[in-house]
Amino acid sequence: MVKNEFVSAIAEKAGMTKKDTTAFVDALSEVLMEVIANEDSVKVGNVVTIGGKTRPARTARDPRSGKAIAVPEKKGYPFAKFSKNSKEC
């Protein structure tokens, strides 16, 4: 589904104009990006929780040599958790 189809589907379900729905979808996208950047999370409806997280620095092992390798901290990886209700769709 492309954005135009997504907007049309929401507009039809909500009884909104496509122009208003497009503004809503754009605003939702901006807010979700801010949530991810702030490493926070938000539940969207009863379907999904979206957010960002930081993977802390750690020590890993090279499987070939067995030597320890330092893995640096990584920030901002988005995650999505689907609720149990999403399996019913």
Side-chain angles (χ1 to χ4, degrees):
M1 178 179 278
V2 295
K3 181 180 176 183
N4 193 26
E5 294 170 337
F6 184 64
V7 167
S8 294
I10 292 174
E12 184 178 322
K13 294 265 185 189
M16 297 170 60
T17 66
K18 287 185 181 180
K19 182 179 178 180
D20 290 342
T21 306
T22 300
F24 167 77
V25 170
D26 291 342
L28 178 65
S29 296
E30 289 179 25
V31 169
L32 290 177
M33 291 305 293
E34 290 172 8
V35 167
I36 291 168
N38 293 331
E39 297 182 24
D40 200 0
S41 64
V42 63
K43 186 173 182 179
V44 180
N46 291 327
V47 181
V48 65
T49 302
I50 299 172
K53 64 180 178 180
T54 298
R55 293 182 182 183
R58 62 186 175 91
T59 303
R61 186 183 64 83
D62 182 348
R64 292 181 187 161
S65 66
K67 292 182 181 179
I69 300 172
V71 178
E73 177 180 84
K74 295 181 182 181
K75 292 188 177 191
Y77 288 90
F79 66 88
K81 296 180 190 175
F82 293 92
S83 72
K84 295 176 185 176
N85 295 338
S86 65
K87 293 179 184 176
E88 296 173 5
C89 296

